[in-house]
Amino acid sequence: DPNVKMRLLQMLKDKIDVILCIHAGAIERNKIRADFGITYDVDVLKTIDDFREWGIDIKAVVITRYENQSPARLFKNKLELRGIKVYLHYPIKGYPSDVDMIVSDKGYGANEYISTDKPIVIVTGPGPGSGKLATCLNNLYHEYKRGVKAGYAKFETFPIWDLPLDHKVNVAYEAATVDFRDEVMIDIDNLNAYN
């Protein structure tokens, strides 16, 4: 239930900074969320408004894998006109396999450091591939370079096999993985073997 997550964030609002990520290519292609039927850029704007309704401000938006795409540049301007800080992160040659390149001043070091003030930073974004993990690792790289001992933890919704297929947790998992066409289903062999 999204309201449960928002109530938790609202309880922590004095201790959190929220960063939204969106992949520049998703903006350029007008990628549509299959679960909501809206484009990813509209989803970012909706998320900003939804968080504000809960009394939570968005610290910044990161446009990931930015290559000066015109639609992404226009979206950046739109956000800045709304008073939202926008950071740009660029594609990293050899990502994700060339670790020496990625973890260097030419990799994460070439991307902007996202300045935060609170002890907990929430990184979110529409759909898979928005750059959430890379954004977290990017900031950890910059924090490490500054001598700050920062950590990282991922909160993810996964199917829970002991719940019915149509339980809200399992439906939320399917919505989160709709781009992969993943679905929760009964494993008949497991069911027959272990009831």
Side-chain angles (χ1 to χ4, degrees):
D1 182 2
N3 286 339
V4 172
K5 291 178 196 173
M6 291 306 296
R7 280 195 295 274
L8 174 61
L9 294 178
Q10 190 178 43
M11 287 170 38
L12 295 169
K13 74 179 182 176
D14 294 333
K15 295 180 179 164
I16 64 171
D17 279 329
V18 180
I19 298 169
L20 276 171
C21 300
I22 182 168
H23 170 30
I27 301 168
E28 185 177 34
R29 293 187 310 272
N30 281 322
K31 188 171 181 181
I32 294 177
R33 285 193 63 138
D35 50 352
F36 296 130
I38 60 175
T39 58
Y40 278 33
D41 56 337
V42 169
D43 188 45
V44 166
L45 297 172
K46 180 183 178 320
T47 300
I48 292 167
D49 292 341
D50 289 348
F51 271 68
R52 282 186 177 155
E53 282 183 25
W54 285 87
I56 303 166
D57 286 325
I58 300 297
K59 180 75 174 184
V61 171
V62 182
I63 300 178
T64 63
R65 291 181 272 171
Y66 181 78
E67 297 180 277
N68 205 26
Q69 299 95 326
S70 180
R73 198 171 52 249
L74 291 170
F75 186 63
K76 176 182 183 290
N77 293 342
K78 180 187 251 184
L79 291 168
E80 289 174 338
L81 286 171
R82 291 180 72 172
I84 296 162
K85 175 69 178 156
V86 179
Y87 292 87
L88 303 175
H89 285 182
Y90 303 92
I92 298 173
K93 186 178 178 183
Y95 191 89
S97 56
D98 187 350
V99 176
D100 290 336
M101 173 62 180
I102 296 163
V103 185
S104 75
D105 288 339
K106 291 181 180 178
Y108 289 141
N111 285 332
E112 294 181 273
Y113 169 66
I114 305 162
S115 179
T116 58
D117 306 309
K118 308 283 176 59
I120 301 171
V121 179
I122 308 295
V123 179
T124 187
S130 59
K132 298 178 287 285
L133 175 60
T135 296
C136 291
L137 295 176
N138 184 85
N139 247 39
L140 283 176
Y141 173 85
H142 286 281
E143 295 285 14
Y144 176 78
K145 296 276 284 189
R146 288 169 167 73
V148 176
K149 292 184 178 179
Y152 166 81
K154 184 174 184 191
F155 176 81
E156 187 68 76
T157 303
F158 289 104
I160 299 176
W161 310 119
D162 292 340
L163 295 176
L165 295 178
D166 60 352
H167 188 278
K168 289 180 181 182
V169 169
N170 289 334
V171 171
Y173 169 79
E174 286 188 344
T177 59
V178 73
D179 285 3
F180 306 128
R181 294 195 172 109
D182 202 357
E183 62 183 270
V184 180
M185 63 178 69
I186 300 292
D187 179 338
I188 298 300
D189 294 329
N190 192 358
L191 181 65
N192 291 336
Y194 303 106
N195 196 25

